[in-house]
Amino acid sequence: MEQTFSQPYKHYFWKRFFLFFIPLMVVGILSEPMIIQNPFEELEDYGAFVLFLGIYMLVLGGWAAFIVSIMWRSSEFRSMKK
C-alpha cells in the first residue's frame, strides 16, 4: 500500500521550523543566567558563552524539529482518515 502525502515533508518542515525555533531560542537565552549575566572579562567567559549558546541551539533545535514533525504526522494522519 503506497501512501501519498499532500505536501512534501521537507517543504513543510523548513517552512515551519523557524516559527518554533526562534521563539524557543529567545525564551531559552533570556532565562539562562550563564548567557545573560556573563561578564566577558576573561577568555574562559567567551568560551562558556559559546558553549552554552551551542548547547541551547542544539537542544532547542531538536525540540523545534520534534514539534514540527509531530504536527506534520498528525496533519497527515487526519488527512488519511477522511
Side-chain angles (χ1 to χ4, degrees):
M1 181 188 219
E2 186 177 324
Q3 294 179 354
T4 57
F5 296 114
S6 60
Q7 191 174 24
Y9 176 72
K10 188 175 184 180
H11 175 71
Y12 183 91
F13 179 82
W14 288 114
K15 191 175 178 183
R16 288 167 178 80
F17 174 75
F18 290 105
L19 293 174
F20 288 105
F21 179 68
I22 292 172
L24 283 174
M25 271 306 280
V26 169
V27 170
I29 287 174
L30 292 177
S31 66
E32 178 57 50
M34 187 62 161
I35 294 175
I36 298 297
Q37 299 170 357
N38 197 339
F40 295 109
E41 293 176 353
E42 298 178 8
L43 185 60
E44 293 171 351
D45 296 331
Y46 290 103
F49 175 77
V50 170
L51 177 70
F52 273 86
L53 190 62
I55 289 171
Y56 266 88
M57 288 179 75
L58 183 68
V59 170
L60 295 177
W63 275 108
F66 177 71
I67 291 169
V68 171
S69 179
I70 294 297
M71 286 176 46
W72 181 74
R73 293 205 185 264
S74 67
S75 69
E76 289 299 317
F77 181 70
R78 274 186 265 131
S79 68
M80 276 194 268
K81 274 185 135 177
K82 290 181 181 180

